[in-house]
Amino acid sequence: MQSAMIMIDTPSIVAPASPTLHPPDSLPVPSGSWFAGLGTVAGLGALAASSCCALPVALLGIGATGAVFSGLAMLASIRPLLLGGAALALLVGWALFFRSRATTCAMAGPCASTGSSRRTVALLGLGSALVALALVWEPYLEPVVLKAIR
C-alpha cells in the first residue's frame, strides 16, 4: 500500500523586508525659508536700530524729516528684542534647513536638492550677516562711518 502525498499550492504571506511607518512622500519636511525671511527682516531692523548717529546723519543729508527720526528712536528702544528675535529665527531657520537637507538625503539617495534651498540659504546668510553687523555696528563701525560722513 502506497500512500500518496498531495501537495496544495497556497500563496504564502510574506512580511515586507523593512516595515515603514510612513511612505517617504507623506510627511512634509519644513525648509526653514519662513524663518529665514523673518530673521532677515528682523536683522535689518536691528541694524537700523543699532545706528544711533550715522544713519540719521546720512538720512538728514538726503532730506529725511522728523517722522523718520522718531521711527528710528522707537527702533532703538526695542533693539535687544529685534536682535534676540532675529537670532532666534535664524537659528531655527538654519536648524530646519539642515534637518530638511539630511531628511532629503536619507529619503532620496544622493542628496537630491530642492528648488528653494538656494533661496533659503541666501536669506539665511543675509540675515546672519545683518545680525552680525548689527552686533558690531555701534561699538566698532559707527565711529569710522561718522568720521567718513563728516
Side-chain angles (χ1 to χ4, degrees):
M1 214 186 211
Q2 290 186 348
S3 68
M5 189 181 254
I6 301 176
M7 300 200 54
I8 301 174
D9 189 21
T10 58
S12 61
I13 300 173
V14 179
S18 61
T20 57
L21 297 176
H22 303 286
D25 296 333
S26 69
L27 296 175
V29 179
S31 67
S33 61
W34 189 82
F35 287 102
L38 178 67
T40 302
V41 170
L44 186 61
L47 181 61
S50 296
S51 176
C52 71
C53 302
L55 187 60
V57 169
L59 290 174
L60 186 63
I62 61 171
T65 63
V68 174
F69 299 126
S70 66
L72 288 175
M74 191 270 310
L75 279 179
S77 67
I78 61 169
R79 179 181 181 259
L81 293 174
L82 285 171
L83 278 173
L88 182 64
L90 289 168
L91 182 67
V92 170
W94 279 114
L96 287 176
F97 172 74
F98 285 121
R99 179 177 171 249
S100 168
R101 187 166 169 88
T103 305
T104 302
C105 289
M107 287 182 183
C111 288
S113 109
T114 60
S116 66
S117 67
R118 286 186 183 178
R119 181 186 59 196
T120 303
V121 169
L123 278 175
L124 286 169
L126 178 64
S128 299
L130 286 172
V131 168
L133 189 60
L135 286 172
V136 299
W137 180 263
E138 190 174 355
Y140 303 113
L141 297 176
E142 189 163 26
V144 174
V145 173
L146 278 175
K147 284 181 185 177
I149 290 176
R150 291 181 186 174

